[in-house]
Amino acid sequence: MVTRKEVAELAKVSEATVSYVVNNTKNVTPEVRERVLAAVHKLGYRPNMVARSLVTKETRHVAMLVDNLKNPYYCEILEGAQSIASEAGYIVSVLSIDVSNKESVMELASRGVDGIIFAMGSERVDKYLKIGPPCVYVGENVYMNYQKAIDDMVGCLVEKGHRNIAMLCGIPLDQDNIRYQNFVEAVKNHGLHLNPKLIVDGSNGRTDEDEGARAMTELLSRKEEFTAVYALNDLMAMGAMKVTRETGIRIPEDVSIIGCDNLNILRYLSPALSTMDVEAFQVGRSLMQLLIEKIKGEPLSSNTIETRFICRETVAEVGQII
Amino acid sequence: MVTRKEVAELAKVSEATVSYVVNNTKNVTPEVRERVLAAVHKLGYRPNMVARSLVTKETRHVAMLVDNLKNPYYCEILEGAQSIASEAGYIVSVLSIDVSNKESVMELASRGVDGIIFAMGSERVDKYLKIGPPCVYVGENVYMNYQKAIDDMVGCLVEKGHRNIAMLCGIPLDQDNIRYQNFVEAVKNHGLHLNPKLIVDGSNGRTDEDEGARAMTELLSRKEEFTAVYALNDLMAMGAMKVTRETGIRIPEDVSIIGCDNLNILRYLSPALSTMDVEAFQVGRSLMQLLIEKIKGEPLSSNTIETRFICRETVAEVGQII
DNA sequence: CTGAAAGCGCTTACAG
DNA sequence: CTGAAAGCGCTTACAG
């Protein structure tokens, strides 16, 4: 790499002056400016960001923590975040984290990341982490309002004659499982009785297809009556669909299934999965935007994303005989 | 952040000694060592990686460039790369790049990344880029041998009576489109005639569902006879399936469809897409492994990944009436 | 308008 | 075994 020193020598100015014109941070006479620019161009000089970071204390590098990178939902959030980041000169690294690992957060801090996006819906880390870079949390700084979508979903099911709706929870109930709470609320709102045996709690904190399959298997083994299943997210719903089909139960004739996230891929499933749109790309944008504000020390605003129930082919009238 | 200086003061040693024990890089008497460690622990000291990088010239940060982050295939590669990276103390950032953009590679260089993984199957960048960090390329350093899988695929189709097999190419033919070349070879090997009108070239370099839909539409508009379609990757195959279904053509009764990548998600499609397994996770691991070797200046070995045709429900006998 | 100098937090010969 | 000192490539008051 060519350094500032070489540019200074070629342009016959001091190293400081090179910085001044490169960063456009001080008035410089046009002639000097031109000389420096010419030298920069000729040598192909680019400032060493590591050195710059050491003095400015900012790396323009943020991290995004997810619990399952394979979930396309996170890819969309990431793309959203990157769209804002690249405009602002930031770069974002995604890391898969098993648990909310204090150690790995500390390592990120020592790497000098300017901020961290917690994209997984888990508990906060910076509460017991006084130091460390600014953080934003999905569910907190960007709040996703599932209540209306879940209300609509339950309403739609009730209208079609469903009374016994199961839920595959994924995230354990002892953690903040907003979607579960919203579901309980929605069930009440529609005058249904909530049968606790139709609620399958999460086990290992995973929320992927395998967990969906596991939870569905568990649900079936309970021998309770149900005509609809709401899974925490689309991946779990897909796992549940697989188990359901393999058991010989028809979708949607025998059981209706609903997911959440509105993954792009769903449009290619058959039957097409009913779900809730959560505008993941927009969530990513908002998270990054808020993080940048927080980094700059601006008063932290927060953002609410509305979600929306999308009824597709996996939902049908109860008792419909085909 | 607490600095080395504070640790030195608390432990009553020089700053150099702190480095020596933290990095375990020189013999230090046990007593001194203990004193330093105690101070480190008490203060919660972590070395500032930015400062360290400035002198060691390594950031243990690598970048991975992809053309479509939404393709789960890249997520698997990324996970593979990260599994090796985290063991070796590296962190990897993914960046979506529209074209093989020299400018963005230069920016990564000025950020001090230690290396770059080119995961998209596009042309090399470092050929006309003398400076810049070490790079590894999928298709070059990790070579994916599609020939056998594609041979098997064509063989399987021929056996089922197919004679006119179309291909949706995605990557333009003027770039290195290995899978297209392998396909041409395989068609020859099985004594078939290659009808150029059944080859749909890529348009914009995209290789996603939309491009698959576009290419399939284009293929149908040509009014040529065909009974099978091989798409560059699973995403394109899914786009093609959608268009096919919407046109009222049945899969696989009227047309067989084959993709490539063996995305996890395929197991949940119906009919299940035939594809080729490319061991994306393993590809990621190999890429990262090779990159680390290259960074260390070790003689660069290369790696071949074998692929394998997987016949599922989207392939059927030709002319089969149901 | 320009530059000499201090300093960012580290590593690592080198001398004691 | 320990530490004083130079240096990594920058930014930025400060003085001229």
Side-chain angles (χ1 to χ4, degrees):
Chain A
M1 292 287 295
V2 14
T3 71
R4 195 183 56 159
K5 188 177 176 186
E6 304 172 49
V7 176
E9 281 167 5
L10 182 63
K12 308 224 176 291
V13 294
S14 74
E15 295 186 34
T17 301
V18 175
S19 286
Y20 296 145
V21 355
V22 167
N23 298 326
N24 215 333
T25 190
K26 217 173 197 178
N27 275 347
V28 173
T29 41
E31 302 95 296
V32 174
R33 182 185 174 71
E34 280 316 312
R35 243 169 41 225
V36 172
L37 254 22
V40 164
H41 194 79
K42 183 167 180 191
L43 265 34
Y45 167 74
R46 309 214 65 174
N48 179 327
M49 291 312 195
V50 174
R52 173 180 289 178
S53 292
L54 183 57
V55 17
T56 62
K57 300 298 178 211
E58 60 168 21
T59 54
R60 295 194 169 253
H61 178 191
V62 305
M64 172 170 146
L65 270 35
V66 304
D67 54 14
N68 173 21
L69 195 50
K70 286 207 189 83
N71 191 338
Y73 163 71
Y74 288 123
C75 291
E76 280 216 39
I77 292 190
L78 177 60
E79 289 215 321
Q82 288 192 333
S83 74
I84 295 290
S86 70
E87 285 171 20
Y90 282 83
I91 164 177
V92 10
S93 302
V94 231
L95 300 178
S96 263
I97 296 286
D98 334 291
V99 286
S100 61
N101 186 337
K102 187 178 168 179
E103 197 41 47
S104 60
V105 172
M106 290 312 294
E107 177 176 342
L108 288 173
S110 89
R111 273 184 178 279
V113 299
D114 290 340
I116 302 179
I117 296 174
F118 285 84
M120 70 272 213
S122 79
E123 42 181 341
R124 303 190 48 134
V125 177
D126 66 354
K127 279 194 178 139
Y128 46 92
L129 206 70
K130 293 228 187 55
I131 62 267
C135 301
V136 294
Y137 296 82
V138 51
E140 194 163 324
N141 303 281
V142 173
Y143 176 74
M144 295 156 88
N145 183 10
Y146 295 106
Q147 189 66 70
K148 177 154 188 316
I150 294 180
D151 257 340
D152 287 352
M153 183 264 289
V154 171
C156 172
L157 288 173
V158 166
E159 210 166 85
K160 293 184 188 300
H162 296 267
R163 289 293 172 272
N164 300 301
I165 309 173
M167 176 169 178
L168 314 180
C169 294
I171 303 174
L173 298 185
D174 53 0
Q175 290 174 32
D176 278 353
N177 192 329
I178 307 283
R179 272 165 280 183
Y180 167 69
Q181 289 159 15
N182 291 157
F183 176 70
V184 171
E185 190 70 24
V187 164
K188 261 191 221 152
N189 289 347
H190 286 86
L192 296 182
H193 169 69
L194 185 81
N195 179 355
K197 291 197 174 157
L198 292 182
I199 304 298
V200 183
D201 197 357
S203 64
N204 45 18
R206 290 175 59 189
T207 55
D208 56 6
E209 298 98 330
D210 288 345
E211 167 65 10
R214 185 204 67 77
M216 191 68 196
T217 306
E218 158 93 28
L219 176 62
L220 290 168
S221 77
R222 292 186 186 171
K223 310 285 186 200
E224 290 289 311
E225 217 170 281
F226 64 89
T227 58
V229 178
Y230 164 49
L232 185 82
N233 65 21
D234 290 338
L235 253 33
M236 284 187 60
M238 288 168 68
M241 283 174 75
K242 188 177 165 114
V243 166
T244 305
R245 265 199 304 260
E246 287 170 358
T247 318
I249 299 172
R250 296 167 304 167
I251 305 168
E253 293 85 348
D254 302 325
V255 62
S256 292
I257 296 197
I258 301 98
C260 180
D261 285 349
N262 193 22
L263 300 183
N264 234 299
I265 217 99
L266 297 186
R267 292 182 296 163
Y268 305 94
L269 282 182
S270 154
L273 181 62
S274 300
T275 188
M276 323 206 185
D277 187 39
V278 298
E279 299 191 69
F281 188 82
Q282 186 54 46
V283 169
R285 289 178 65 89
S286 289
L287 283 167
M288 189 67 209
Q289 204 119 47
L290 292 175
L291 184 56
I292 291 177
E293 288 175 17
K294 197 163 181 177
I295 289 170
K296 288 186 180 164
E298 290 174 18
L300 191 57
S301 57
S302 78
N303 229 310
T304 298
I305 303 272
E306 295 299 331
T307 65
R308 177 173 66 87
F309 175 57
I310 300 177
C311 191
R312 294 206 186 99
E313 299 164 12
T314 56
V315 168
E317 302 243 342
V318 111
Q320 181 187 26
I321 311 288
I322 295 185
Chain B
M1 290 288 293
V2 14
T3 72
R4 196 181 57 158
K5 189 175 175 190
E6 303 172 49
V7 176
E9 281 167 3
L10 183 62
K12 307 223 178 293
V13 294
S14 75
E15 295 186 32
T17 301
V18 176
S19 286
Y20 297 143
V21 355
V22 166
N23 298 327
N24 215 334
T25 190
K26 216 173 195 177
N27 276 346
V28 172
T29 41
E31 303 97 294
V32 174
R33 183 184 172 69
E34 280 316 313
R35 239 165 48 220
V36 172
L37 254 20
V40 165
H41 192 80
K42 183 167 181 194
L43 265 33
Y45 168 73
R46 311 215 64 176
N48 179 328
M49 292 312 195
V50 174
R52 173 180 289 176
S53 293
L54 183 57
V55 17
T56 61
K57 300 298 178 211
E58 59 167 23
T59 53
R60 297 196 167 251
H61 178 193
V62 305
M64 171 171 148
L65 269 34
V66 304
D67 55 14
N68 174 20
L69 193 51
K70 286 208 190 85
N71 191 339
Y73 164 71
Y74 288 124
C75 290
E76 279 216 38
I77 293 189
L78 176 60
E79 288 214 321
Q82 287 192 333
S83 74
I84 296 290
S86 70
E87 286 171 18
Y90 282 83
I91 165 177
V92 11
S93 302
V94 231
L95 301 178
S96 264
I97 295 287
D98 334 291
V99 286
S100 61
N101 185 339
K102 189 178 167 179
E103 197 39 49
S104 59
V105 172
M106 291 311 295
E107 179 179 339
L108 288 172
S110 89
R111 273 183 178 279
V113 299
D114 291 340
I116 302 179
I117 297 174
F118 285 83
M120 71 273 213
S122 79
E123 44 180 341
R124 304 189 44 134
V125 176
D126 65 356
K127 279 193 179 140
Y128 45 91
L129 206 70
K130 293 230 187 50
I131 60 265
C135 300
V136 293
Y137 294 83
V138 51
E140 193 162 324
N141 303 281
V142 173
Y143 176 73
M144 295 155 87
N145 183 11
Y146 295 106
Q147 188 67 69
K148 174 150 190 320
I150 294 180
D151 257 340
D152 287 352
M153 182 264 290
V154 172
C156 171
L157 288 174
V158 166
E159 211 166 85
K160 291 184 189 300
H162 295 268
R163 289 295 171 271
N164 300 301
I165 309 173
M167 176 170 179
L168 314 181
C169 295
I171 302 175
L173 299 185
D174 53 1
Q175 292 175 31
D176 278 353
N177 192 330
I178 308 282
R179 271 164 281 183
Y180 167 69
Q181 290 160 16
N182 291 159
F183 177 69
V184 171
E185 189 69 24
V187 164
K188 263 192 221 150
N189 289 347
H190 286 85
L192 297 183
H193 169 67
L194 184 80
N195 179 355
K197 291 198 175 157
L198 291 183
I199 304 299
V200 183
D201 196 358
S203 64
N204 44 18
R206 290 175 58 188
T207 56
D208 56 5
E209 298 98 329
D210 287 345
E211 167 64 12
R214 186 204 66 78
M216 190 68 196
T217 306
E218 158 92 29
L219 176 64
L220 290 169
S221 77
R222 292 186 186 172
K223 308 286 183 198
E224 290 289 310
E225 218 170 280
F226 64 88
T227 57
V229 177
Y230 165 48
L232 184 83
N233 64 21
D234 290 338
L235 253 32
M236 284 186 60
M238 288 167 68
M241 283 174 74
K242 189 180 164 112
V243 166
T244 306
R245 263 199 305 261
E246 287 170 357
T247 320
I249 300 172
R250 294 168 305 166
I251 305 168
E253 294 84 348
D254 302 325
V255 61
S256 292
I257 296 197
I258 300 97
C260 180
D261 286 349
N262 193 22
L263 299 183
N264 233 301
I265 215 101
L266 297 186
R267 294 181 295 163
Y268 305 95
L269 281 183
S270 153
L273 182 62
S274 300
T275 188
M276 323 207 185
D277 188 38
V278 297
E279 298 190 71
F281 188 82
Q282 187 54 45
V283 169
R285 289 178 65 89
S286 289
L287 284 167
M288 189 66 210
Q289 205 119 46
L290 292 174
L291 184 57
I292 291 177
E293 288 175 18
K294 196 163 183 178
I295 289 170
K296 288 185 179 164
E298 290 172 20
L300 190 57
S301 58
S302 79
N303 229 309
T304 298
I305 303 270
E306 295 299 332
T307 65
R308 174 174 66 88
F309 175 57
I310 300 176
C311 191
R312 295 207 185 98
E313 299 163 13
T314 56
V315 168
E317 302 243 341
V318 110
Q320 182 188 25
I321 310 287
I322 295 185

